[in-house]
Amino acid sequence: MSVIRHLRRAVRLPQQRSQGVDLAHPARSPLGTAVVNCAVYADGTRLAGHHPVDEAVRLVRSSGDGFVWIGLHEPSEAEFADIVELFGLHPLAVEDAVLAHQRPKLEQYDTNLFTVFKTACYVEHDRLTATSEVVDTGEIMVFTGEDFVITVRHGGHGSLGPLRESLEALPEQLALGPSAVLHAIADLVVDDYLEATAAVQNDIDEVESAVFAENGRNADAGRIYQLKRELLELKRAVAPLDRPLDRLSTEPLAQVDPRIRTYFRDVADHLARVNERITAFDELLNSILQAHLAQVTIAQNEDMRRISAWVAILAVPTMVCGVYGMNFEHLWGKDSVYGYPVVMLVIVAACAVIHRGFKRNGWL
């Protein structure tokens, strides 16, 4: 089986859980409660037992083989300090990792790579409203060195536990080193983008059906604006990742194994597909919004025509009654027994003729 097939299986296919991986992460490093997991890998196999960070690094560097993978969740500066000193991480990258709220990017500091991914997930809701949260975003920062991978996660989703298990089920992938972990994380993040856009499409279809329904003018325009806002948030997470993936797939970076580099192109292709979807969704929402506004305008024009038609009809009796209400002595039919009935018949006949004309022209 080819390397790329192994990599895709490691990320996407459910595998049998390996021993020693606890998704609940009960083990905490003495360096701080933010450390979710710390594991040592040699020849693609996880060494048994739980190792404190300093001991894990000592095992790897004494043997000269393998690497250590440390996972953290929203660490504070104090909790991160010992790890920073142990691995010699750059202060600027550390600041970004602790404070979060970064754009997707790839930066090289001395012998380390610092990569920022924006994670995204679809927020389930019973019914889309003008205030519904559709997309929730988080962040994963990855420090990649010659013999270590440090992942820092921010947000309530995007857990790397299942990914770690999948990779451990395929030791031939982990044997390729830290860059295999970096590729798997990138692939997982982009796959989550695809799932999020597929779910957002269902909301867009729902809004589109509501707008083009028989009573579409009564559709809530706030739902369309809300979708556009959520789509913009997703775009901010996805679009900036294009450049980092391009560098990972084309530039000869020392921290990226040449056997892995070419497979970042596959992730970049999937990212391009996500960007195309988001662009298409944004254009579609613009069209839906314009159609809805056009429907509202047409409905308002129809209402105004009906009002104008009835005003024109009522103008006839108003005018006649106004004339006969004047204090003139010589008015036709004023002193006649048949005057009142004749005037009323004339008013009704005139109104009927005008009503028929408006009806024929579609104003009523």
Side-chain angles (χ1 to χ4, degrees):
M1 185 178 288
S2 64
V3 175
I4 182 59
R5 190 176 302 172
H6 281 304
L7 286 171
R8 295 181 67 82
R9 283 181 56 200
V11 176
R12 295 189 177 89
L13 297 182
Q15 301 291 339
Q16 183 178 2
R17 293 186 176 179
S18 56
Q19 297 296 325
V21 180
D22 188 352
L23 296 182
H25 308 304
R28 298 298 186 179
S29 167
L31 294 178
T33 58
V35 178
V36 171
N37 210 329
C38 178
V40 178
Y41 298 91
D43 296 325
T45 303
R46 176 173 177 161
L47 300 186
H50 297 290
H51 305 276
V53 175
D54 52 353
E55 179 185 335
V57 174
R58 186 166 52 252
L59 285 173
V60 170
R61 294 180 176 173
S62 62
S63 64
D65 186 27
F67 66 95
V68 57
W69 181 357
I70 303 170
L72 301 96
H73 181 253
E74 299 182 356
S76 65
E77 187 174 352
E79 291 171 328
F80 206 16
D82 290 335
I83 295 178
V84 171
E85 182 179 358
L86 189 60
F87 291 98
L89 304 180
H90 197 279
L92 291 178
V94 172
E95 181 181 3
D96 290 345
V98 172
L99 298 180
H101 305 296
Q102 301 297 315
R103 285 166 53 91
K105 61 182 178 179
L106 173 66
E107 295 179 351
Q108 187 168 13
Y109 297 101
D110 299 327
T111 59
N112 302 332
L113 278 182
F114 177 63
T115 313
V116 177
F117 299 99
K118 293 283 286 187
T119 60
C121 74
Y122 178 78
V123 180
E124 296 290 343
H125 43 266
D126 296 332
R127 181 179 178 274
L128 179 65
T129 66
T131 58
S132 295
E133 184 181 12
V134 179
V135 177
D136 185 26
T137 59
E139 294 176 47
I140 297 178
M141 286 84 164
V142 184
F143 294 88
T144 310
E146 182 181 357
D147 56 4
F148 68 88
V149 175
I150 301 173
T151 56
V152 181
R153 183 170 63 88
H154 291 266
H157 65 275
S159 174
L160 297 178
L163 174 64
R164 187 188 289 262
E165 284 197 340
S166 298
L167 285 173
E168 290 178 0
L170 293 174
E172 62 272 19
Q173 314 314 325
L174 283 174
L176 298 177
S179 57
V181 177
L182 180 61
H183 167 266
I185 293 173
D187 201 22
L188 176 66
V189 168
V190 174
D191 280 351
D192 287 343
Y193 292 161
L194 288 170
E195 293 179 5
T197 53
V200 169
Q201 185 172 10
N202 294 331
D203 285 332
I204 295 177
D205 292 342
E206 177 185 343
V207 169
E208 184 179 21
S209 299
V211 167
F212 290 100
E214 185 176 355
N215 59 342
R217 68 173 182 173
N218 297 324
D220 184 7
R223 299 200 301 170
I224 305 176
Y225 282 109
Q226 180 65 12
L227 272 179
K228 286 183 66 67
R229 284 194 295 266
E230 294 295 306
L231 199 63
L232 179 60
E233 182 178 358
L234 183 59
K235 184 177 182 180
R236 288 172 179 168
V238 173
L241 187 57
D242 183 68
R243 177 56 181 161
L245 287 180
D246 181 66
R247 290 186 59 192
L248 287 169
S249 61
T250 57
E251 293 186 13
L253 302 172
Q255 296 81 4
V256 179
D257 191 295
R259 293 169 292 180
I260 299 295
R261 186 186 309 132
T262 55
Y263 302 125
F264 278 103
R265 297 176 187 171
D266 178 65
V267 183
D269 289 341
H270 290 173
L271 183 69
R273 189 188 312 169
V274 174
N275 279 317
E276 290 173 358
R277 282 187 181 181
I278 293 176
T279 301
F281 289 167
D282 188 55
E283 293 176 354
L284 180 58
L285 284 174
N286 286 335
S287 300
I288 294 173
L289 182 59
Q290 291 174 0
H292 176 62
L293 294 178
Q295 286 179 330
V296 173
T297 302
I298 292 173
Q300 289 175 343
N301 290 337
E302 291 178 352
D303 292 340
M304 287 302 299
R305 287 194 303 178
R306 290 190 181 95
I307 294 172
S308 300
W310 282 111
V311 169
I313 293 172
L314 294 176
V316 174
T318 301
M319 180 186 66
V320 174
C321 293
V323 171
Y324 274 83
M326 297 179 182
N327 295 322
F328 293 115
E329 293 184 3
H330 303 289
L331 287 175
W332 182 88
K334 183 177 180 181
D335 299 326
S336 174
V337 177
Y338 302 102
Y340 175 77
V342 171
V343 171
M344 294 304 297
L345 287 175
V346 170
I347 292 176
V348 172
C351 291
V353 171
I354 297 175
H355 183 275
R356 182 179 180 184
F358 283 133
K359 193 78 172 179
R360 183 184 302 171
N361 293 328
W363 282 51
L364 290 174

